[in-house]
Amino acid sequence: MKVITTIKEMRAAIADLRREPSGSAKGIGFVPTLGYLHEGHASLLKRAREDNGAVVLSIFVNPLQFGPNEDFERYPRDSDRDLNVARQEGVAIVFMPDVQEMYPQRMLTSVAVSGITDILCGSSRPGHFDGVATVVSKLFNIIQPDRAYFGLKDAQQVAVVQRMVQDLNMNVEIVPCPTLREEDGLAMSSRNVYLTAEERRQALVLQQSLNDAEEWLKRPGIRLGELKEKVAAQISTAPLADIDYVEIVSYPSFLPLEEWEHQALDIVGDKQILIALAVRFGQTRLIDNRILSLEGLDLKGALSHV
Ligand code: PAF
């Protein structure tokens, strides 16, 4: 496994990989990360190995996607452990640039996806998705992968990257992958390490409220506005939970619930909803979501009085 820190060496290594039968025949799969890898990342690497001849992993805590009062400085880092995970998962190249290598001068260029970034994490973390789209574009330009793998825990990030790739004709297939959970149901996240034992215990309410939402949606006559309120009320039963947002959007178009009209939904053709949550426990902001089918639901009834 090669560990590379400069863009110049990375381009040369990718050119070598493309000349090898593994990289050229089945293609190069890419898993971009902020590091501090957990089993969710390992599952992305596994999937990338299945689909491709060679896998490239990037580890870069990207300052552009963190707000001024967010956790850039204290974001957990452990490169030795990350490199072990990468070795175990058969990664061919790990790209670990530092901030100076990625941003040697003040950036005058940024990639911004509009519309779907006005809601959810886009509105509660201003500039976050510009930072993500910009760094992912840079990484795609440097690595030029055939496929790139993203976890659906951040479903909005997946949608933003997919839209960027479509709009800018980037030659890479985006592969969304399912969220991995701890045994007790908490969605895996590098940020879980920040939680105290009590916060971690109470954070289970996120998964529980999403499970219940799935059941509530089966009830005849349930309205989506009511569903959203029920989910928020359930989360609020955890005393340490401080809700950033509980939202329901159509999926995969990310049309906010308040803007839905039956006709509009028919036009976008969405057959699913995404219930998305962002909740703080102490200093730690966690996100989670569930994608549920609208099949069989009386949409007119479900949407009335939202
Ligand atoms: O999801 C992440 O880990 C990051 O947002 C990404 C895609 C690596 C960009 O920095």
Side-chain angles (χ1 to χ4, degrees):
M1 184 177 83
K2 285 187 184 161
V3 180
I4 292 178
T5 55
T6 69
I7 294 167
K8 192 170 168 215
E9 281 173 281
M10 193 62 207
R11 289 195 196 282
I14 291 288
D16 288 347
L17 208 54
R18 291 263 177 223
R19 277 191 288 269
E20 286 171 18
S22 54
S24 56
K26 274 188 82 188
I28 296 176
F30 173 43
V31 178
T33 76
L34 300 175
Y36 211 70
L37 304 182
H38 50 68
E39 280 173 48
H41 296 113
S43 75
L44 301 181
L45 293 168
K46 282 193 176 72
R47 175 73 200 274
R49 271 218 73 190
E50 280 165 26
D51 296 352
N52 300 275
V55 175
V56 175
L57 162 74
S58 70
I59 297 175
F60 177 59
V61 186
N62 170 38
L64 283 195
Q65 70 188 74
F66 289 79
N69 298 318
E70 292 185 352
D71 56 346
F72 172 69
E73 294 296 344
R74 68 181 191 114
Y75 195 83
R77 293 160 168 89
D78 187 344
S79 38
D80 288 345
R81 209 189 62 167
D82 288 350
L83 292 178
N84 278 334
V85 174
R87 256 180 229 109
Q88 271 163 25
E89 298 303 334
V91 168
I93 306 176
V94 181
F95 182 46
M96 291 177 69
D98 65 13
V99 173
Q100 178 63 22
E101 181 68 14
M102 286 298 276
Y103 302 116
Q105 54 189 350
R106 188 166 69 87
M107 288 285 283
L108 299 181
T109 307
S110 108
V111 181
V113 177
S114 61
I116 52 172
T117 53
D118 296 341
I119 51 171
L120 310 178
C121 289
S123 60
S124 62
R125 301 182 71 189
H128 168 69
F129 284 120
D130 294 357
V132 170
T134 302
V135 80
V136 171
S137 305
K138 280 169 76 81
L139 291 166
F140 283 176
N141 283 333
I142 296 163
I143 293 159
Q144 307 209 336
D146 297 286
R147 297 173 199 88
Y149 295 78
F150 292 83
L152 274 168
K153 181 168 76 75
D154 197 338
Q156 193 176 16
Q157 171 169 276
V158 175
V160 167
V161 172
Q162 276 174 327
R163 193 55 197 255
M164 171 186 86
V165 163
Q166 285 164 17
D167 285 353
L168 299 180
N169 303 97
M170 293 178 170
N171 199 13
V172 51
E173 179 192 344
I174 303 304
V175 185
C177 299
T179 303
L180 251 73
R181 297 183 180 277
E182 304 288 354
E183 256 172 40
D184 58 9
L186 185 69
M188 287 188 185
S189 162
S190 305
R191 289 187 168 102
N192 290 350
V193 71
Y194 298 148
L195 296 167
T196 64
E198 184 53 22
E199 287 165 355
R200 189 178 176 316
R201 196 184 65 73
Q202 293 196 22
L204 296 180
V205 76
L206 302 185
Q207 150 87 345
Q208 282 152 7
S209 69
L210 292 168
N211 288 345
D212 287 351
E214 200 163 345
E215 292 307 311
W216 289 326
L217 193 62
K218 291 179 193 153
R219 284 190 194 164
I222 182 97
R223 289 176 288 112
L224 294 180
E226 192 188 341
L227 185 66
K228 184 165 131 175
E229 280 161 23
K230 279 166 99 59
V231 171
Q234 187 171 354
I235 293 171
S236 300
T237 61
L240 296 176
D242 174 14
I243 295 179
D244 181 354
Y245 63 73
V246 173
E247 289 297 345
I248 300 184
V249 297
S250 73
Y251 187 81
S253 302
F254 279 77
L255 212 59
L257 177 58
E258 288 72 15
E259 286 171 29
W260 288 7
E261 282 168 20
H262 194 184
Q263 209 194 4
L265 263 196
D266 280 354
I267 290 167
V268 295
D270 284 353
K271 297 279 182 286
Q272 290 164 299
I273 54 168
L274 173 88
I275 307 179
L277 319 172
V279 180
R280 278 194 185 76
F281 292 86
Q283 300 291 304
T284 311
R285 182 178 174 281
L286 299 179
I287 56 171
D288 202 348
N289 66 60
R290 186 72 51 93
I291 296 167
L292 298 172
S293 172
L294 290 176
E295 222 66 56
L297 198 74
D298 164 20
L299 265 188
K300 272 218 168 86
L303 293 176
S304 62
H305 312 296
V306 291

